[in-house]
Amino acid sequence: MFATATRNFVEEVDRGRSLIPVSSLNDTISLLTVVIKKKRYWLWQKPKYLPTDFTLNDILAGGTPIQPDITESEFIKYNGTFGDNIQGNVGANFIQNNVSVEGKDTSKLQSSFGSLKKEELGMPKLIKDSKERLLDMSHCLVEQTMRNNKQVFGIVKERILTTQPCSVIEEVQKEGQFGGMLTVCGAKVTKVSLKENASLSKDSNVTMEIPPHTTLAYALIELEVKHDGHFKLCLMSTVSGGFEEVDSNGRLAPLHHSEKVDFRPVLEEFKEYFKVLSALPSQTKSSLLLQITEVIDDRTALSLLQNSLHHLCYGGVSASVEEHQQQIQDILDLVAQSGASKDAVIKALHLVLSAVDEMSNKCLALLRMCCSSALLPDLELLVQCLLGDGQLPLTAMRQTTLEEEVFDRVQCLFSSSNVFLKKDGDSLRTEVQQEAGNLPIILCIALRGLASLSQ
C-alpha cells in the first residue's frame, strides 16, 4: 500500500527521470546512504534498489568523515487520489463448462502527504571532499557487493520527505455474480469451485498513518570503483557505475554499462516462450488467464508472483507471499499441472510477468480492462503490426474492438507505452514514439504472452 502510494507519487512528479520511490517504511534513507543498484535478469527490466544500513563514510578507508553541504527547499504540497471503477460481463468457454461472470470492482487509494520538502547534497563540495579518497575494499558490504557484477553502489544525493503527519487510505470493494459452474482442479484437490448463481463480495478500508520526516523518494549518484579502492562519482545520467574487474589473465576489464535493447529481434528470440504457453491445454490456459487477470493491477501481489517464478527458475531468496499466498499458490498449482513442460511454462510465465511488472500503475489498470479472450487476439495483431510495416487493415479486427469505448481504451494502453495507434482511413497505423525507451518491448511481451493464453 505504501509502495503503491510512493510509486504513484513518483509517476506524477518525476516520471521516467531520476527519483526512485521508497518501497518500505522500514527503509531508513538519508543523504549519503549507500544503496545497492541491482541489475535484473532481463536487460529491459528496471533495476532493483536495495537501501543498506551504511553511509558513504562507513565504507571509506580512514580519514576525516565527509561533512556535506545540505540544502533544504520546499517541494510541493501533494494530495493524490487514484482509483478505478471496473464493470463488465465476461463469458468464458471451458472444456466442459460455460461460465458467465458479472462483476464490479471499485478501488481507491488516497495519499495525503501534505507539504513536502527536498534535501540535496552540495555536489561541488562532495566532489572536492571525495577526491583521492579510497573505499575500504575489505569492508563486508564492499566485498559482498563486488562479487556480483550486476550490482552497483549508489549514494543518496537527494530525497523528498514529509514535513507533517500524513496518511494513505485504501478502499476496495469487489462484487460479483457467477452463473454456471467453474471448477479449477489440481491433481488431487479442487482449488476453486463457484457454483450456480454464486456471489462474491469483498470490502476493505485501510488507513496508514505516516510520521513526519519520512522519505518518500530519493535520487542516486552512482560510483565507478577501481580495483584499488579509488572511485569516481558518475555526474551524468548517461554514465553508469560499477566495479572494475580483473579477468583470468590478470588484466583489468572495463566497467559494465547499461545496454540499449532493439525490441524487434528480442521479440523474435522470445517466440518459443509464447509457443509454450499456446500449447497448454485449453482449460489450463483459460484458468491461468483468469487468475493472472485478478492480480495484474495489484502491485504487491504481482511483484510477489514474479519473484516466486524467478525463484523457481533461477533460485535465490523467495519473498514471503503472506496475505496473497492463496492467489499466488493457485497460479503456481496450475503451472505444476503442466507435466513434462512445467519448467518451460515457468520460464515463459516469468518472462511475461516480468514485463507486466515493469508497467506503470495506469498501464496495469488499462491492461486488466483489456484482458479478455475476445480482445487479446486483436491486441496480438496490433503487436504484429508494430513489428511489421506499421499498417493493418481495419477488416482484420473484430468490430467490437473498433467500437469507440473499447478502441479508446486500447489507444490509451498503447500510448502509455509510448506507442502511437491511430485509425487512418480503412487502416490502423502504429508507430513507436521518439525516446520510447524499453516501454514498447515491455508492452509487446505482455500482450503476446497474455494473448497466448487466450487462444
Side-chain angles (χ1 to χ4, degrees):
M1 184 167 143
F2 177 73
T4 301
T6 57
R7 185 161 179 161
N8 284 338
F9 166 71
V10 169
E11 286 183 3
E12 289 296 315
V13 303
D14 192 61
R15 184 176 182 185
R17 303 193 67 178
S18 61
L19 285 181
I20 301 160
V22 176
S23 59
S24 172
L25 280 168
N26 285 328
D27 292 337
T28 303
I29 298 172
S30 58
L31 296 181
L32 288 185
T33 292
V34 178
V35 176
I36 297 173
K37 175 185 174 182
K38 186 176 182 181
K39 298 175 184 177
R40 308 284 290 282
Y41 184 81
W42 306 109
L43 289 175
W44 39 263
Q45 286 182 287
K46 292 190 291 288
K48 279 189 174 180
Y49 295 94
L50 310 173
T52 73
D53 297 325
F54 301 93
T55 68
L56 176 61
N57 285 320
D58 294 327
I59 61 174
L60 290 177
T64 305
I66 292 174
Q67 300 293 332
D69 279 339
I70 298 176
T71 59
E72 292 187 1
S73 59
E74 292 183 358
F75 191 55
I76 58 172
K77 186 173 183 179
Y78 180 87
N79 295 288
T81 300
F82 300 85
D84 50 61
N85 190 330
I86 302 174
Q87 302 183 59
N89 299 299
V90 178
N93 296 317
F94 291 81
I95 291 177
Q96 295 179 338
N97 302 297
N98 293 324
V99 179
S100 63
V101 182
E102 295 182 15
K104 177 182 179 182
D105 286 4
T106 303
S107 64
K108 182 171 71 173
L109 183 72
Q110 181 177 345
S111 305
S112 302
F113 292 143
S115 297
L116 303 174
K117 72 176 180 179
K118 176 165 66 173
E119 289 185 348
E120 296 178 274
L121 289 176
M123 294 308 300
K125 187 174 187 299
L126 180 61
I127 294 170
K128 180 181 177 181
D129 291 348
S130 62
K131 190 175 182 180
E132 302 304 324
R133 297 295 297 270
L134 299 175
L135 294 187
D136 179 1
M137 302 306 283
S138 65
H139 191 285
C140 57
L141 181 65
V142 178
E143 285 186 338
Q144 292 171 16
T145 303
M146 67 186 298
R147 289 174 192 165
N148 188 333
N149 62 11
K150 289 190 174 185
Q151 296 185 158
V152 176
F153 273 154
I155 306 299
V156 176
K157 66 173 183 176
E158 172 188 324
R159 67 174 183 149
I160 310 298
L161 61 159
T162 60
T163 61
Q164 61 200 55
C166 52
S167 64
V168 176
I169 302 173
E170 182 182 51
E171 298 177 9
V172 177
Q173 184 179 45
K174 294 189 176 184
E175 300 175 2
Q177 295 288 333
F178 303 86
M181 176 180 288
L182 165 61
T183 304
V184 182
C185 297
K188 295 182 179 180
V189 61
T190 298
K191 303 303 294 184
V192 180
S193 181
L194 302 172
K195 295 186 179 180
E196 194 76 36
N197 298 322
S199 63
L200 175 66
S201 175
K202 178 184 177 181
D203 296 313
S204 66
N205 190 325
V206 181
T207 300
M208 179 182 292
E209 299 292 338
I210 299 174
H213 312 300
T214 297
T215 304
L216 302 180
Y218 58 94
L220 295 179
I221 184 167
E222 296 182 21
L223 303 184
E224 280 192 2
V225 183
K226 302 292 185 180
H227 72 288
D228 59 0
H230 283 93
F231 65 93
K232 291 182 179 180
L233 303 173
C234 300
L235 302 177
M236 299 180 65
S237 60
T238 54
V239 179
S240 300
F243 287 89
E244 191 175 44
E245 298 178 14
V246 178
D247 65 19
S248 57
N249 296 318
R251 295 172 300 193
L252 294 177
L255 293 167
H256 294 270
H257 294 284
S258 59
E259 301 179 48
K260 293 183 178 180
V261 182
D262 184 352
F263 71 96
R264 289 177 175 83
V266 170
L267 261 294
E268 185 66 21
E269 292 177 14
F270 289 152
K271 66 181 182 180
E272 295 302 321
Y273 289 82
F274 307 129
K275 287 182 180 179
V276 168
L277 297 179
S278 296
L280 288 171
S282 297
Q283 183 170 337
T284 302
K285 288 192 292 186
S286 299
S287 301
L288 272 174
L289 182 60
L290 186 67
Q291 298 276 16
I292 290 172
T293 300
E294 283 299 306
V295 302
I296 270 184
D297 60 348
D298 184 333
R299 176 66 65 183
T300 302
L302 178 62
S303 295
L304 289 173
L305 175 57
Q306 194 267 131
N307 181 276
S308 298
L309 291 168
H310 187 278
H311 174 69
L312 291 173
C313 288
Y314 311 107
V317 179
S318 179
S320 170
V321 295
E322 297 176 357
E323 177 187 352
H324 303 278
Q325 175 73 51
Q326 194 57 55
Q327 273 184 311
I328 293 173
Q329 193 58 53
D330 288 344
I331 294 173
L332 298 180
D333 286 348
L334 283 169
V335 173
Q337 300 168 30
S338 305
S341 65
K342 182 181 72 172
D343 290 344
V345 173
I346 290 173
K347 288 184 178 180
L349 281 180
H350 175 250
L351 167 70
V352 174
L353 292 174
S354 294
V356 173
D357 195 31
E358 293 296 307
M359 291 179 163
S360 68
N361 292 327
K362 175 184 176 182
C363 197
L364 289 180
L366 289 165
L367 181 63
R368 186 184 181 192
M369 289 188 283
C370 292
C371 271
S372 72
S373 55
L375 185 55
L376 283 169
D378 280 358
L379 299 185
E380 161 72 1
L381 288 177
L382 290 174
V383 169
Q384 293 178 22
C385 173
L386 184 64
L387 298 176
D389 61 6
Q391 297 280 345
L392 182 71
L394 287 176
T395 53
M397 307 286 283
R398 301 183 190 190
Q399 190 57 42
T400 53
T401 304
L402 299 174
E403 291 175 357
E404 184 176 356
E405 182 179 350
V406 177
F407 188 75
D408 285 349
R409 189 182 303 158
V410 173
Q411 271 188 313
C412 288
L413 175 62
F414 277 69
S415 177
S416 66
S417 297
N418 288 344
V419 176
F420 178 81
L421 172 63
K422 182 183 178 182
K423 292 179 182 177
D424 187 7
D426 58 358
S427 299
L428 288 170
R429 186 160 59 91
T430 59
E431 182 181 345
V432 176
Q433 298 174 9
Q434 289 187 344
E435 305 298 326
N438 290 325
L439 293 179
I441 189 175
I442 291 168
L443 177 70
C444 290
I445 290 172
L447 293 181
R448 278 208 153 168
L450 295 171
S452 297
L453 295 175
S454 70
Q455 296 171 359

